[in-house]
Amino acid sequence: MPADIKRRLTREDWLAIAKKALVASGIDDVKIDRLARRMKVTRGSFYYHFADRKDLHAALLRDWEVRNGVEIAQVRDRWALDEPDLTEIAATWLRNDSGFLAFDMAVRMWARKSPSVARVVHRTDKAWVDLLTDLFCQSGYSDDEALVRARITYFHQIGYYALDVRETLEERLRLVPIYYAVLSGKPPPPALDEMLAGLKPRRAAR
């Protein structure tokens, strides 16, 4: 009995293997035949969920864009309940899993080959920079300085994992208050310490 009859693969299964292929080898490797061979199923399983390869690519890009959009919306929602602060954005970035960060970089590499993908990436990057600009404007900076601080903060985040900085989680968390002060121009608030304390790995009891 074929594997795709034993357990019908879901749309999420196909997206998951497509993400792995994108991260490992780039968009040129995200092809129906190759994915089907890796999953040991027939092409019929794929066409149950997607019209064609272009449809799969669109779903991959939409997944990336929606993830970013949700994170931005969540920050704005929290800001509506409390005074806007860089802590909320730092928490979002620090909690991102390594799998998503690799996916993010793969999408950016894909954008270098595709103008339509590049437009989506630029639109999403602008949304993040707009969010940060709003924060720095509300912090009392002029429009120009708010924009420059927003760009530097966002470029810092993208560059952090684009350069594949090698450090332990403990070391990164230790440096966050210094990054906060440099990027925001303000001393770290107690909320930042509380957030970082929640991210520190717990040591096993002896």
Side-chain angles (χ1 to χ4, degrees):
M1 181 180 293
D4 52 349
I5 294 179
K6 291 180 181 178
R7 184 183 76 82
R8 185 178 295 279
L9 295 176
T10 67
R11 181 182 176 88
E12 288 67 34
D13 290 328
W14 282 99
L15 280 173
I17 195 66
K19 284 181 186 178
K20 289 182 179 179
L22 177 66
V23 170
S25 310
I27 194 62
D28 292 338
D29 196 38
V30 184
K31 296 181 177 179
I32 302 169
D33 286 341
R34 293 181 185 179
L35 298 181
R37 283 198 298 271
R38 290 175 187 176
M39 301 178 80
K40 298 181 180 180
V41 298
T42 64
R43 291 164 57 97
S45 173
F46 172 86
Y47 289 111
Y48 183 81
H49 300 289
F50 299 94
D52 49 29
R53 183 188 180 203
K54 183 178 180 180
D55 188 25
L56 174 62
H57 287 188
L60 276 174
L61 185 59
R62 186 163 54 251
D63 184 87
W64 177 85
E65 184 178 22
V66 168
R67 167 73 177 262
N68 279 277
V70 167
E71 289 181 344
I72 291 171
Q74 288 175 339
V75 170
R76 288 197 180 279
D77 287 345
R78 288 193 289 270
W79 283 357
L81 300 175
D82 203 351
E83 182 178 357
D85 184 72
L86 187 57
T87 296
E88 297 293 346
I89 297 177
T92 297
W93 288 341
L94 287 168
R95 287 169 181 152
N96 275 334
D97 60 89
S98 59
F100 178 73
L101 298 182
F103 179 41
D104 183 86
M105 293 310 302
V107 169
R108 293 179 185 281
M109 292 300 293
W110 178 13
R112 295 187 177 187
K113 296 183 175 183
S114 169
S116 61
V117 174
R119 285 193 292 272
V120 174
V121 171
H122 291 159
R123 181 169 68 234
T124 300
D125 287 342
K126 183 179 183 302
W128 276 110
V129 172
D130 287 347
L131 177 73
L132 287 159
T133 301
D134 289 346
L135 167 64
F136 290 126
C137 279
Q138 293 182 58
S139 297
Y141 293 109
S142 68
D143 290 348
D144 285 345
E145 185 167 353
L147 174 61
V148 171
R149 284 185 178 276
R151 287 177 175 173
I152 292 173
T153 301
Y154 190 63
F155 297 164
H156 158 80
Q157 171 61 13
I158 299 299
Y160 210 92
Y161 51 84
L163 294 175
D164 192 22
V165 176
R166 301 298 177 92
E167 64 184 4
T168 63
L169 175 61
E170 291 88 343
E171 179 67 3
R172 185 176 187 190
L173 295 181
R174 185 183 70 81
L175 296 174
V176 166
I178 301 174
Y179 285 124
Y180 181 103
V182 171
L183 295 170
S184 71
K186 299 181 182 298
L192 183 70
D193 292 334
E194 294 173 6
M195 182 272 288
L196 294 176
L199 294 177
K200 290 180 179 179
R202 295 182 178 179
R203 297 183 182 279
R206 294 183 178 180

